[in-house]
């Protein structure tokens, strides 16, 4: 799993919406799998509107079994 520590490493939602998977995976607490999920979500639904939306999506997806 992964731990989001109060959203601290999400200093700006704009960065999350613009960063590549490689850039995201360099952030503390985000590995390659999570970075890929963030980029996939953006491609399917568009940019995250808030940190809360991002965290809600990650919580829901994190509870799903890995295939």
């Amino acid at each position: 799993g992964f731990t989001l520590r109060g959203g601290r490493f999400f200093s700006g939602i704009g960065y999350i919406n613009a960063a590549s998977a490689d850039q995201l995976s360099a952030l503390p607490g985000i590995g390659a799998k999570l970075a890929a999920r963030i980029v996939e979500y953006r491609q399917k639904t568009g940019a995250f509107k808030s940190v809360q939306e991002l965290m809600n999506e990650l919580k829901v997806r994190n509870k799903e079994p890995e295939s």
Side-chain angles (χ1 to χ4, degrees):
F2 60 90
T3 302
L4 297 176
R5 301 189 189 280
R8 266 190 338 174
F9 55 83
F10 297 113
S11 60
I13 197 68
Y15 181 79
I16 298 300
N17 285 326
S20 68
D22 286 340
Q23 290 168 321
L24 291 170
S25 66
L27 294 173
I30 299 183
K33 284 185 180 182
L34 181 53
R37 284 182 25 211
I38 291 170
V39 171
E40 177 186 357
Y41 181 87
R42 285 190 333 221
Q43 290 172 343
K44 287 182 180 177
T45 63
F48 290 99
K49 294 173 187 69
S50 68
V51 172
Q52 189 62 48
E53 179 186 359
L54 171 64
M55 292 178 71
N56 288 343
E57 171 62 18
L58 297 180
K59 267 192 252 184
V60 169
R61 300 270 316 263
N62 193 41
K63 291 180 182 178
E64 294 176 2
E66 296 278 335
S67 52

